[in-house]
Amino acid sequence: MSNPPTGRLFPTADGHDLILSRTFRAPIEDVWASVTESDRTARWFGAWEGDAAPGHMIKMQMAYEDQAPWFDVRIDACDPPRRLALSTTDESGNWRIELLLSHTDGQTELRLVHHLDTTDEIGEMGPGWEYYLDMLVAARDGLSTPRFDDYYPAMKPYYDSLPTRTDPA
């Protein structure tokens, strides 16, 4: 495993938030394009198609998963270039995710917030998000693609034992 896990867990009124972040030396608009433009999301997560507007559904492909499945994603909110909120329902349940971007002193921080109803599968989710965020870093920086085997099961114990924090900083 090349990078240590970064996820933190915070209690909320209706569950927990799993928060992971990455920082880029790039303008916020460029990082926003990396997480919203289909040709750029295809490089690290998967392509999408459809009318990507708040309240609309798009089809997204998970290009780096077995059989590269497509699934429906609802755009819950889109406030360029700072916030994108998405939700989907699959056999694992309901997923609610936000991408929050901020820019300070030439650096853009991307925070991925996964709103969890339960932490039962955090040992699988956390390593998966670490992998995809590092895929984003690799795609943006022209680095070699990380191997999922370096994330799971290696990071599972970290996430399974992740303490609930009360400070969202």
PDB file of all heavy atoms in Angstrom, residues 134-157:
ATOM      1  N   ASP A 134      -7.396   7.979  -5.373  1.00  0.00           N
ATOM      2  CA  ASP A 134      -6.030   7.863  -5.880  1.00  0.00           C
ATOM      3  C   ASP A 134      -6.017   7.647  -7.394  1.00  0.00           C
ATOM      4  O   ASP A 134      -5.071   8.044  -8.078  1.00  0.00           O
ATOM      5  CB  ASP A 134      -5.268   6.763  -5.149  1.00  0.00           C
ATOM      6  CG  ASP A 134      -4.845   7.196  -3.751  1.00  0.00           C
ATOM      7  OD1 ASP A 134      -4.968   8.396  -3.411  1.00  0.00           O
ATOM      8  OD2 ASP A 134      -4.378   6.331  -2.980  1.00  0.00           O
ATOM      9  N   MET A 135      -7.078   7.017  -7.936  1.00  0.00           N
ATOM     10  CA  MET A 135      -7.215   6.920  -9.392  1.00  0.00           C
ATOM     11  C   MET A 135      -7.362   8.326  -9.987  1.00  0.00           C
ATOM     12  O   MET A 135      -6.786   8.622 -11.032  1.00  0.00           O
ATOM     13  CB  MET A 135      -8.439   6.070  -9.758  1.00  0.00           C
ATOM     14  CG  MET A 135      -8.279   4.592  -9.474  1.00  0.00           C
ATOM     15  SD  MET A 135      -7.286   3.747 -10.698  1.00  0.00           S
ATOM     16  CE  MET A 135      -8.391   3.755 -12.098  1.00  0.00           C
ATOM     17  N   LEU A 136      -8.123   9.183  -9.304  1.00  0.00           N
ATOM     18  CA  LEU A 136      -8.269  10.565  -9.755  1.00  0.00           C
ATOM     19  C   LEU A 136      -6.924  11.274  -9.746  1.00  0.00           C
ATOM     20  O   LEU A 136      -6.557  11.948 -10.713  1.00  0.00           O
ATOM     21  CB  LEU A 136      -9.277  11.309  -8.866  1.00  0.00           C
ATOM     22  CG  LEU A 136      -9.398  12.821  -9.068  1.00  0.00           C
ATOM     23  CD1 LEU A 136      -9.801  13.176 -10.488  1.00  0.00           C
ATOM     24  CD2 LEU A 136     -10.361  13.412  -8.056  1.00  0.00           C
ATOM     25  N   VAL A 137      -6.169  11.131  -8.668  1.00  0.00           N
ATOM     26  CA  VAL A 137      -4.836  11.740  -8.579  1.00  0.00           C
ATOM     27  C   VAL A 137      -3.960  11.241  -9.734  1.00  0.00           C
ATOM     28  O   VAL A 137      -3.300  12.027 -10.416  1.00  0.00           O
ATOM     29  CB  VAL A 137      -4.180  11.442  -7.216  1.00  0.00           C
ATOM     30  CG1 VAL A 137      -2.712  11.867  -7.211  1.00  0.00           C
ATOM     31  CG2 VAL A 137      -4.942  12.127  -6.091  1.00  0.00           C
ATOM     32  N   ALA A 138      -3.949   9.930  -9.954  1.00  0.00           N
ATOM     33  CA  ALA A 138      -3.128   9.346 -11.022  1.00  0.00           C
ATOM     34  C   ALA A 138      -3.548   9.873 -12.393  1.00  0.00           C
ATOM     35  O   ALA A 138      -2.697  10.214 -13.223  1.00  0.00           O
ATOM     36  CB  ALA A 138      -3.222   7.821 -10.978  1.00  0.00           C
ATOM     37  N   ALA A 139      -4.854   9.969 -12.639  1.00  0.00           N
ATOM     38  CA  ALA A 139      -5.350  10.462 -13.926  1.00  0.00           C
ATOM     39  C   ALA A 139      -4.955  11.917 -14.145  1.00  0.00           C
ATOM     40  O   ALA A 139      -4.558  12.308 -15.244  1.00  0.00           O
ATOM     41  CB  ALA A 139      -6.873  10.300 -14.005  1.00  0.00           C
ATOM     42  N   ARG A 140      -5.048  12.726 -13.107  1.00  0.00           N
ATOM     43  CA  ARG A 140      -4.725  14.146 -13.228  1.00  0.00           C
ATOM     44  C   ARG A 140      -3.227  14.368 -13.388  1.00  0.00           C
ATOM     45  O   ARG A 140      -2.808  15.263 -14.096  1.00  0.00           O
ATOM     46  CB  ARG A 140      -5.225  14.914 -12.007  1.00  0.00           C
ATOM     47  CG  ARG A 140      -6.738  15.084 -11.966  1.00  0.00           C
ATOM     48  CD  ARG A 140      -7.157  15.993 -10.835  1.00  0.00           C
ATOM     49  NE  ARG A 140      -6.410  17.233 -10.845  1.00  0.00           N
ATOM     50  CZ  ARG A 140      -6.673  18.287 -11.616  1.00  0.00           C
ATOM     51  NH1 ARG A 140      -7.681  18.252 -12.447  1.00  0.00           N
ATOM     52  NH2 ARG A 140      -5.935  19.371 -11.554  1.00  0.00           N
ATOM     53  N   ASP A 141      -2.427  13.553 -12.682  1.00  0.00           N
ATOM     54  CA  ASP A 141      -0.976  13.775 -12.664  1.00  0.00           C
ATOM     55  C   ASP A 141      -0.209  12.911 -13.656  1.00  0.00           C
ATOM     56  O   ASP A 141       1.017  12.939 -13.674  1.00  0.00           O
ATOM     57  CB  ASP A 141      -0.435  13.537 -11.248  1.00  0.00           C
ATOM     58  CG  ASP A 141      -0.951  14.555 -10.247  1.00  0.00           C
ATOM     59  OD1 ASP A 141      -1.500  15.594 -10.664  1.00  0.00           O
ATOM     60  OD2 ASP A 141      -0.804  14.312  -9.033  1.00  0.00           O
ATOM     61  N   GLY A 142      -0.918  12.094 -14.454  1.00  0.00           N
ATOM     62  CA  GLY A 142      -0.246  11.235 -15.418  1.00  0.00           C
ATOM     63  C   GLY A 142       0.561  10.119 -14.776  1.00  0.00           C
ATOM     64  O   GLY A 142       1.564   9.680 -15.329  1.00  0.00           O
ATOM     65  N   LEU A 143       0.128   9.660 -13.607  1.00  0.00           N
ATOM     66  CA  LEU A 143       0.828   8.592 -12.890  1.00  0.00           C
ATOM     67  C   LEU A 143       0.255   7.236 -13.282  1.00  0.00           C
ATOM     68  O   LEU A 143      -0.831   7.147 -13.855  1.00  0.00           O
ATOM     69  CB  LEU A 143       0.678   8.790 -11.378  1.00  0.00           C
ATOM     70  CG  LEU A 143       1.147  10.143 -10.827  1.00  0.00           C
ATOM     71  CD1 LEU A 143       0.777  10.273  -9.359  1.00  0.00           C
ATOM     72  CD2 LEU A 143       2.651  10.284 -11.025  1.00  0.00           C
ATOM     73  N   SER A 144       0.968   6.183 -12.937  1.00  0.00           N
ATOM     74  CA  SER A 144       0.457   4.849 -13.233  1.00  0.00           C
ATOM     75  C   SER A 144      -0.772   4.567 -12.369  1.00  0.00           C
ATOM     76  O   SER A 144      -0.922   5.092 -11.267  1.00  0.00           O
ATOM     77  CB  SER A 144       1.537   3.791 -13.006  1.00  0.00           C
ATOM     78  OG  SER A 144       1.967   3.807 -11.669  1.00  0.00           O
ATOM     79  N   THR A 145      -1.643   3.735 -12.889  1.00  0.00           N
ATOM     80  CA  THR A 145      -2.899   3.395 -12.230  1.00  0.00           C
ATOM     81  C   THR A 145      -2.633   2.562 -10.983  1.00  0.00           C
ATOM     82  O   THR A 145      -1.904   1.576 -11.042  1.00  0.00           O
ATOM     83  CB  THR A 145      -3.798   2.599 -13.199  1.00  0.00           C
ATOM     84  OG1 THR A 145      -4.009   3.392 -14.362  1.00  0.00           O
ATOM     85  CG2 THR A 145      -5.135   2.272 -12.577  1.00  0.00           C
ATOM     86  N   PRO A 146      -3.209   2.948  -9.845  1.00  0.00           N
ATOM     87  CA  PRO A 146      -3.025   2.142  -8.634  1.00  0.00           C
ATOM     88  C   PRO A 146      -3.699   0.776  -8.779  1.00  0.00           C
ATOM     89  O   PRO A 146      -4.597   0.594  -9.602  1.00  0.00           O
ATOM     90  CB  PRO A 146      -3.684   2.962  -7.528  1.00  0.00           C
ATOM     91  CG  PRO A 146      -4.400   4.081  -8.171  1.00  0.00           C
ATOM     92  CD  PRO A 146      -4.024   4.139  -9.607  1.00  0.00           C
ATOM     93  N   ARG A 147      -3.247  -0.162  -7.978  1.00  0.00           N
ATOM     94  CA  ARG A 147      -3.836  -1.502  -7.968  1.00  0.00           C
ATOM     95  C   ARG A 147      -4.789  -1.611  -6.790  1.00  0.00           C
ATOM     96  O   ARG A 147      -4.417  -1.298  -5.658  1.00  0.00           O
ATOM     97  CB  ARG A 147      -2.742  -2.574  -7.818  1.00  0.00           C
ATOM     98  CG  ARG A 147      -1.803  -2.673  -8.968  1.00  0.00           C
ATOM     99  CD  ARG A 147      -0.648  -3.675  -8.756  1.00  0.00           C
ATOM    100  NE  ARG A 147      -0.450  -4.123  -7.386  1.00  0.00           N
ATOM    101  CZ  ARG A 147      -0.772  -5.350  -6.925  1.00  0.00           C
ATOM    102  NH1 ARG A 147      -1.290  -6.244  -7.721  1.00  0.00           N
ATOM    103  NH2 ARG A 147      -0.547  -5.672  -5.662  1.00  0.00           N
ATOM    104  N   PHE A 148      -6.003  -2.074  -7.042  1.00  0.00           N
ATOM    105  CA  PHE A 148      -6.994  -2.195  -5.976  1.00  0.00           C
ATOM    106  C   PHE A 148      -6.498  -3.119  -4.863  1.00  0.00           C
ATOM    107  O   PHE A 148      -6.797  -2.908  -3.688  1.00  0.00           O
ATOM    108  CB  PHE A 148      -8.334  -2.685  -6.526  1.00  0.00           C
ATOM    109  CG  PHE A 148      -9.408  -2.712  -5.482  1.00  0.00           C
ATOM    110  CD1 PHE A 148      -9.930  -1.537  -4.967  1.00  0.00           C
ATOM    111  CD2 PHE A 148      -9.872  -3.916  -4.967  1.00  0.00           C
ATOM    112  CE1 PHE A 148     -10.907  -1.546  -3.979  1.00  0.00           C
ATOM    113  CE2 PHE A 148     -10.850  -3.941  -3.981  1.00  0.00           C
ATOM    114  CZ  PHE A 148     -11.369  -2.757  -3.488  1.00  0.00           C
ATOM    115  N   ASP A 149      -5.695  -4.116  -5.214  1.00  0.00           N
ATOM    116  CA  ASP A 149      -5.160  -5.045  -4.216  1.00  0.00           C
ATOM    117  C   ASP A 149      -4.294  -4.349  -3.170  1.00  0.00           C
ATOM    118  O   ASP A 149      -4.080  -4.889  -2.093  1.00  0.00           O
ATOM    119  CB  ASP A 149      -4.345  -6.152  -4.890  1.00  0.00           C
ATOM    120  CG  ASP A 149      -5.209  -7.087  -5.716  1.00  0.00           C
ATOM    121  OD1 ASP A 149      -6.458  -7.033  -5.577  1.00  0.00           O
ATOM    122  OD2 ASP A 149      -4.654  -7.858  -6.511  1.00  0.00           O
ATOM    123  N   ASP A 150      -3.803  -3.151  -3.474  1.00  0.00           N
ATOM    124  CA  ASP A 150      -3.031  -2.391  -2.487  1.00  0.00           C
ATOM    125  C   ASP A 150      -3.930  -1.695  -1.470  1.00  0.00           C
ATOM    126  O   ASP A 150      -3.453  -1.179  -0.462  1.00  0.00           O
ATOM    127  CB  ASP A 150      -2.150  -1.346  -3.183  1.00  0.00           C
ATOM    128  CG  ASP A 150      -1.016  -1.984  -3.973  1.00  0.00           C
ATOM    129  OD1 ASP A 150      -0.622  -3.114  -3.658  1.00  0.00           O
ATOM    130  OD2 ASP A 150      -0.536  -1.327  -4.916  1.00  0.00           O
ATOM    131  N   TYR A 151      -5.236  -1.670  -1.727  1.00  0.00           N
ATOM    132  CA  TYR A 151      -6.192  -0.984  -0.868  1.00  0.00           C
ATOM    133  C   TYR A 151      -7.046  -1.963  -0.063  1.00  0.00           C
ATOM    134  O   TYR A 151      -7.304  -1.737   1.116  1.00  0.00           O
ATOM    135  CB  TYR A 151      -7.102  -0.078  -1.715  1.00  0.00           C
ATOM    136  CG  TYR A 151      -6.324   1.017  -2.384  1.00  0.00           C
ATOM    137  CD1 TYR A 151      -5.612   0.780  -3.562  1.00  0.00           C
ATOM    138  CD2 TYR A 151      -6.259   2.283  -1.832  1.00  0.00           C
ATOM    139  CE1 TYR A 151      -4.870   1.770  -4.168  1.00  0.00           C
ATOM    140  CE2 TYR A 151      -5.529   3.286  -2.429  1.00  0.00           C
ATOM    141  CZ  TYR A 151      -4.827   3.028  -3.594  1.00  0.00           C
ATOM    142  OH  TYR A 151      -4.100   4.016  -4.179  1.00  0.00           O
ATOM    143  N   TYR A 152      -7.502  -2.986  -0.741  1.00  0.00           N
ATOM    144  CA  TYR A 152      -8.365  -3.964  -0.092  1.00  0.00           C
ATOM    145  C   TYR A 152      -7.794  -5.353  -0.293  1.00  0.00           C
ATOM    146  O   TYR A 152      -7.472  -5.698  -1.426  1.00  0.00           O
ATOM    147  CB  TYR A 152      -9.791  -3.899  -0.663  1.00  0.00           C
ATOM    148  CG  TYR A 152     -10.738  -4.797   0.071  1.00  0.00           C
ATOM    149  CD1 TYR A 152     -11.370  -4.344   1.224  1.00  0.00           C
ATOM    150  CD2 TYR A 152     -10.968  -6.103  -0.348  1.00  0.00           C
ATOM    151  CE1 TYR A 152     -12.229  -5.181   1.919  1.00  0.00           C
ATOM    152  CE2 TYR A 152     -11.817  -6.934   0.352  1.00  0.00           C
ATOM    153  CZ  TYR A 152     -12.439  -6.467   1.482  1.00  0.00           C
ATOM    154  OH  TYR A 152     -13.274  -7.282   2.188  1.00  0.00           O
ATOM    155  N   PRO A 153      -7.561  -6.099   0.753  1.00  0.00           N
ATOM    156  CA  PRO A 153      -8.050  -5.924   2.128  1.00  0.00           C
ATOM    157  C   PRO A 153      -7.116  -5.163   3.068  1.00  0.00           C
ATOM    158  O   PRO A 153      -7.409  -5.038   4.252  1.00  0.00           O
ATOM    159  CB  PRO A 153      -8.219  -7.365   2.607  1.00  0.00           C
ATOM    160  CG  PRO A 153      -7.131  -8.116   1.910  1.00  0.00           C
ATOM    161  CD  PRO A 153      -7.012  -7.450   0.544  1.00  0.00           C
ATOM    162  N   ALA A 154      -5.995  -4.626   2.555  1.00  0.00           N
ATOM    163  CA  ALA A 154      -5.007  -3.986   3.426  1.00  0.00           C
ATOM    164  C   ALA A 154      -5.581  -2.874   4.306  1.00  0.00           C
ATOM    165  O   ALA A 154      -5.206  -2.745   5.476  1.00  0.00           O
ATOM    166  CB  ALA A 154      -3.849  -3.439   2.587  1.00  0.00           C
ATOM    167  N   MET A 155      -6.504  -2.067   3.786  1.00  0.00           N
ATOM    168  CA  MET A 155      -7.059  -0.948   4.559  1.00  0.00           C
ATOM    169  C   MET A 155      -8.301  -1.326   5.364  1.00  0.00           C
ATOM    170  O   MET A 155      -8.781  -0.519   6.150  1.00  0.00           O
ATOM    171  CB  MET A 155      -7.400   0.220   3.629  1.00  0.00           C
ATOM    172  CG  MET A 155      -6.206   0.917   3.051  1.00  0.00           C
ATOM    173  SD  MET A 155      -6.749   2.332   2.063  1.00  0.00           S
ATOM    174  CE  MET A 155      -5.180   3.003   1.543  1.00  0.00           C
ATOM    175  N   LYS A 156      -8.816  -2.514   5.171  1.00  0.00           N
ATOM    176  CA  LYS A 156     -10.040  -2.933   5.855  1.00  0.00           C
ATOM    177  C   LYS A 156      -9.931  -2.815   7.381  1.00  0.00           C
ATOM    178  O   LYS A 156     -10.831  -2.251   8.014  1.00  0.00           O
ATOM    179  CB  LYS A 156     -10.426  -4.346   5.438  1.00  0.00           C
ATOM    180  CG  LYS A 156     -11.751  -4.815   6.046  1.00  0.00           C
ATOM    181  CD  LYS A 156     -12.133  -6.176   5.514  1.00  0.00           C
ATOM    182  CE  LYS A 156     -13.391  -6.767   6.066  1.00  0.00           C
ATOM    183  NZ  LYS A 156     -14.288  -6.001   6.843  1.00  0.00           N
ATOM    184  N   PRO A 157      -8.847  -3.295   8.008  1.00  0.00           N
ATOM    185  CA  PRO A 157      -8.763  -3.163   9.474  1.00  0.00           C
ATOM    186  C   PRO A 157      -8.809  -1.708   9.953  1.00  0.00           C
ATOM    187  O   PRO A 157      -9.426  -1.403  10.974  1.00  0.00           O
ATOM    188  CB  PRO A 157      -7.423  -3.809   9.823  1.00  0.00           C
ATOM    189  CG  PRO A 157      -7.143  -4.740   8.687  1.00  0.00           C
ATOM    190  CD  PRO A 157      -7.734  -4.074   7.475  1.00  0.00           C
TER     191      PRO A 157
END
